[in-house]
């Protein structure tokens, strides 16, 4: 999730655990710090753009390492504020702050390596977008209320925010399962022999769902809104680059993307340069994570490091399409931006 959401969640969790045992502002501050720490790995340069993507949300998001870090952070907080007697409570609060960060991240589609160092498998439920106001705003309201109201009402607001957002996550999983059933039925009806199916929410909501079905040679994209007047899916067919996939499957960057995306990727070639695209984040034809792997000669002699070559849509057109399509209006997807 985005940094603001993680700060809000960390503060809300810390305030809920600490209650009035310490000043609310102290609990909120250390919750925000703990909620931010795992994402500092974004500043680590692993050597190229593909590694930077696939190594994000790795050790810094591992439940094992965060559990080890919790007492250290709790010791610092309790000593700074002269609250050694509350060390165990700080420990519990900051442990929950630290582990809820990657657990929430795992609800997105990106991929969070929760079980490092035992496995580098990237877990991703994909039921919530990385920015969703219906999740973030209640947390902020609850924390602000706890800070402003000097009685238990403020803490009640904070707990209500946590309860609402937890139920919202449960709703997102239920909505995803419904959209998945609709997509599977549509694929069967249209005779599309899909070997993989990805169902993720479109930006900022859990009403409009983006569907990606893959075959060994193609991928199909469609959209389904919970407000559609029927369950008909219009699929658009696109080449995955089957020949290139087979030819370059053993190249490190391609193999790494294949594993990290769970097979939802494509390979293309333009002007002699090889490109690999993560099909999970973005929308045809604009994808956030599209990497330029360079020419065959450059890859052979190590003269080119993969670089990010993502493409953003026209924001105005994309937001207009998103709003109208979410409400059930069947309109073509917006084209790429400049």
């Amino acid at each position: 999730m985005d940094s603001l959401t993680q700060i809000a969640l960390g503060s809300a969790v810390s305030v809920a655990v600490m209650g009035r045992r310490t000043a609310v502002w102290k609990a909120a501050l250390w919750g925000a710090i703990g909620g931010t720490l795992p994402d500092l790995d974004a500043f680590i340069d692993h050597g190229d753009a593909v590694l930077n993507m696939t190594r994000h949300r790795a050790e810094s998001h591992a439940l094992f390492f965060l559990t080890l870090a919790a007492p250290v952070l709790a010791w610092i907080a309790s000593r700074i504020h002269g609250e050694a007697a509350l060390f165990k409570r700080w420990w519990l609060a900051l442990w929950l702050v630290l582990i809820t960060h990657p657990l929430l991240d795992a609800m997105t589609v990106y991929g969070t390596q929760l079980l490092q160092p035992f496995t580098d498998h990237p877990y991703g439920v994909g039921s919530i977008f990385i920015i969703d106001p219906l999740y973030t705003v209640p947390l902020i309201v609850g924390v602000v209320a706890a800070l402003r109201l000097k009685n238990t009402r403020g803490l009640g607001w904070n707990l209500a925010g946590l309860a609402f957002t937890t139920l919202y996550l449960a709703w997102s999983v239920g909505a995803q399962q419904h959209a998945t059933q609709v997509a599977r039925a549509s694929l069967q009806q249209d005779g599309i022999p899909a070997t993989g199916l990805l169902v993720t929410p479109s930006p900022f909501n859990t009403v409009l769902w983006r569907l990606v079905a893959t075959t060994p040679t193609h991928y199909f994209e469609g959209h389904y809104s919970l407000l559609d007047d029927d369950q008909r899916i219009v699929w658009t067919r696109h080449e995955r680059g089957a020949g290139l996939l087979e030819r370059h499957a053993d190249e490190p960057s391609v193999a790494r993307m294949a594993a990290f995306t769970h097979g939802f990727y494509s390979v293309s070639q333009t002007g002699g340069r090889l490109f690999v695209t993560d099909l999970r984040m973005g929308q045809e034809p604009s994808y956030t994570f599209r990497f330029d792997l360079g020419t065959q000669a450059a890859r052979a002699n190590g003269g080119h490091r993969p670089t990010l070559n993502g493409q953003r849509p026209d924001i105005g057109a994309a937001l207009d399409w998103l709003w109208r399509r979410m409400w059930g209006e069947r309109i073509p997807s917006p084209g790429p931006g400049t």
Side-chain angles (χ1 to χ4, degrees), residues 19-311:
R20 295 291 177 181
R21 295 173 181 83
T22 188
V24 174
W25 70 265
K26 296 178 186 178
L29 173 63
W30 284 98
I33 292 171
T36 300
L37 284 177
D39 280 341
L40 294 183
D41 71 328
F43 294 102
I44 300 174
D45 185 358
H46 295 281
D48 66 58
V50 171
L51 283 172
N52 287 342
M53 177 195 177
T54 57
R55 295 303 302 161
H56 179 46
R57 296 191 186 179
E59 288 84 359
S60 70
H61 286 61
L63 301 179
F64 177 75
F65 292 124
L66 292 176
T67 296
L68 295 180
V72 177
L73 192 60
W75 184 88
I76 294 172
S78 62
R79 291 308 185 275
I80 285 178
H81 299 299
E83 298 176 348
L86 291 176
F87 168 72
K88 290 184 178 179
R89 197 72 184 185
W90 277 111
W91 185 352
L92 175 62
L94 293 175
W95 176 70
L96 288 171
V97 167
L98 289 172
I99 67 165
T100 52
H101 178 121
L103 290 176
L104 177 59
D105 276 346
M107 298 300 293
T108 70
V109 76
Y110 186 96
T112 305
Q113 296 171 48
L114 295 173
L115 299 184
Q116 285 277 6
F118 311 107
T119 174
D120 58 3
H121 181 82
Y123 295 91
V125 176
S127 67
I128 192 167
F129 191 68
I130 58 171
I131 301 174
D132 192 321
L134 274 180
Y135 185 86
T136 306
V137 172
L139 292 173
I140 295 174
V141 170
V143 171
V144 170
L147 289 168
R148 296 292 299 272
L149 301 176
K150 306 301 181 183
N151 51 44
T152 56
R153 285 182 57 213
L155 297 179
W157 275 91
N158 185 63
L159 288 173
L162 284 169
F164 177 87
T165 52
T166 301
L167 290 173
Y168 185 66
L169 288 179
W171 149 262
S172 74
V173 173
Q176 181 189 45
Q177 292 305 307
H178 171 69
T180 299
Q181 292 176 0
V182 172
R184 291 193 186 282
S186 176
L187 289 169
Q188 184 176 11
Q189 181 178 354
D190 292 345
I192 298 174
T195 55
L197 175 62
L198 179 74
V199 179
T200 59
S202 59
F204 318 128
N205 75 100
T206 53
V207 175
L208 178 61
W209 294 83
R210 177 173 177 261
L211 319 170
V212 179
T214 58
T215 72
T217 57
H218 295 83
Y219 63 94
F220 298 77
E221 183 186 59
H223 289 86
Y224 171 68
S225 172
L226 302 181
L227 302 178
D228 283 348
D229 55 9
D230 60 50
Q231 297 184 348
R232 175 176 53 91
I233 306 296
V234 177
W235 300 96
T236 58
R237 181 179 181 221
H238 309 277
E239 293 280 346
R240 287 189 69 195
L244 294 171
L245 284 172
E246 183 177 356
R247 194 178 317 147
H248 300 285
D250 294 330
E251 294 203 19
S253 292
V254 176
R256 191 169 288 113
M257 287 296 292
F260 192 75
T261 65
H262 304 290
F264 291 97
Y265 73 107
S266 67
V267 179
S268 59
Q269 193 164 9
T270 304
R273 307 181 75 85
L274 188 67
F275 294 86
V276 59
T277 301
D278 183 340
L279 300 175
R280 302 170 305 158
M281 286 167 279
Q283 180 173 311
E284 194 65 33
S286 304
Y287 290 97
T288 305
F289 293 106
R290 178 175 183 263
F291 299 97
D292 179 356
L293 305 187
T295 63
Q296 179 66 41
R299 295 194 305 279
N301 62 26
H304 179 83
R305 293 181 177 181
T307 57
L308 183 63
N309 190 243
Q311 187 177 39

Side-chain angles (χ1 to χ4, degrees), residues 315-327:
I315 299 300
L319 289 176
D320 178 68
W321 176 88
L322 175 66
W323 179 255
R324 294 166 61 189
R325 184 64 190 86
M326 183 177 69
W327 288 98

